[in-house]
Amino acid sequence: MTLQWTAVAFFLYAEIAVNLILCIPFISAKRWRSVFSLRIWNWLSPYWNKCFFTMIMVLIVLFLDAVREVQKYSGPEPMQDAKVNPNVYDHVHMKLFRAQRNLYISGFSLFLWLIMRRVVTLLNQIAVTLENSASLQAQMDGALKAAKQYQDDNLMLKQAVLDEERSMSAKNQQLRLEVEKLANQVKAAEEAVRKSHAEVEAMRRQAKGLAQEYDRLLTEHHQLQNLQSPADKKDQ
């Protein structure tokens, strides 16, 4: 194996290890986000995209080179030469095996490189989503607490209004009873006044009758006196 393919193989092994570590279930996305937020990653972040696309270009070139090698040693001309010379047959198959091996190494390296970037992106998105959901949950808990407090205050206010209505109803009932009592007293007073007016009217009529009788008796008395005065004068 040449130096470049040895480096690609080690790069593939490193990708497999990193992807396995990223997929460990008991390491949460928040912890990975805290790891990705370290100062060294902030320092490397300006170079990360350049490095990523550079590695993609290198792996694509190696992949295309491996495809070319596979097509080269699997074509009809090398096989015809291999049929003529048995030593050439072994050499061609060895070259074809190496080309296929390099094809798999470069292809899987390219695939895992894209997968690793996607996994890192998804971990960051999951961590951000969890943080947002935690803040939303806190806001929801605060809203539920405020709603519960508002409901309790509303119940207390309703109870106070109900008590006030009961108190006002009792007061209104008491006032109604007092008004009815006063109305009865006014009616009794009016009845007493009516009776008093009737008695006064009767007494007035009686007084008028007595005055007329007195005037009549007084007139008769004067007439008797007038009759007695000539008789007395004759006797004298």
Side-chain angles (χ1 to χ4, degrees):
M1 185 181 291
T2 60
L3 182 61
Q4 64 179 3
W5 291 110
T6 302
V8 173
F10 279 112
F11 184 71
L12 175 63
Y13 300 149
E15 286 179 330
I16 293 172
V18 171
N19 281 290
L20 288 175
I21 293 172
L22 291 174
C23 293
I24 292 175
F26 56 83
I27 301 178
S28 63
K30 291 183 179 180
R31 189 167 297 178
W32 279 120
R33 181 173 172 79
S34 63
V35 172
F36 297 148
S37 299
L38 294 176
R39 185 176 299 178
I40 185 172
W41 301 113
N42 294 328
W43 182 71
L44 292 175
S45 60
Y47 310 101
W48 167 247
N49 289 328
K50 295 179 181 179
C51 177
F52 176 76
F53 289 110
T54 301
M55 288 302 301
I56 287 179
M57 295 301 297
V58 171
L59 291 174
I60 289 174
V61 170
L62 292 175
F63 180 76
L64 294 177
D65 182 64
V67 171
R68 183 184 63 80
E69 291 290 328
V70 170
Q71 291 178 351
K72 175 181 176 181
Y73 291 107
S74 61
E77 294 180 359
M79 290 301 174
Q80 290 177 359
D81 295 337
K83 290 179 180 180
V84 175
N85 190 352
N87 293 326
V88 175
Y89 181 81
D90 293 336
H91 181 71
V92 169
H93 274 275
M94 181 184 66
K95 292 288 187 180
L96 180 61
F97 170 75
R98 289 179 179 177
Q100 291 175 346
R101 179 201 63 193
N102 295 337
L103 176 66
Y104 295 144
I105 290 174
S106 59
F108 279 110
S109 296
L110 179 61
F111 176 73
L112 289 177
W113 183 245
L114 296 173
I115 290 295
M116 184 174 66
R117 180 182 175 88
R118 184 60 178 167
V119 168
V120 172
T121 303
L122 289 176
L123 287 173
N124 284 324
Q125 291 178 355
I126 291 171
V128 172
T129 303
L130 290 175
E131 290 177 357
N132 293 332
S133 63
S135 62
L136 289 175
Q137 185 66 32
Q139 293 178 1
M140 187 179 296
D141 293 338
L144 289 175
K145 186 176 180 181
K148 186 177 180 181
Q149 183 66 31
Y150 175 75
Q151 186 176 4
D152 294 337
D153 294 340
N154 193 14
L155 289 176
M156 291 177 63
L157 182 60
K158 286 183 178 179
Q159 187 65 32
V161 170
L162 184 60
D163 294 338
E164 186 67 22
E165 287 180 353
R166 289 177 180 175
S167 177
M168 291 297 293
S169 178
K171 290 181 180 179
N172 290 332
Q173 186 66 24
Q174 186 177 1
L175 289 174
R176 191 178 296 112
L177 293 175
E178 291 180 357
V179 168
E180 290 178 357
K181 184 178 178 181
L182 291 173
N184 293 328
Q185 291 178 359
V186 168
K187 188 182 292 184
E190 288 178 353
E191 186 67 23
V193 169
R194 187 179 62 80
K195 289 181 179 180
S196 297
H197 282 300
E199 291 177 357
V200 168
E201 186 66 25
M203 291 177 67
R204 184 181 298 168
R205 289 177 180 176
Q206 186 178 2
K208 185 177 181 181
L210 291 173
Q212 291 177 355
E213 185 65 22
Y214 176 76
D215 291 338
R216 187 181 63 81
L217 292 175
L218 185 62
T219 303
E220 291 178 356
H221 178 70
H222 284 299
Q223 289 177 357
L224 288 174
Q225 284 182 352
N226 291 327
L227 290 174
Q228 288 178 1
S229 293
D232 291 339
K233 290 180 178 180
K234 289 178 178 183
D235 292 335
Q236 293 178 357

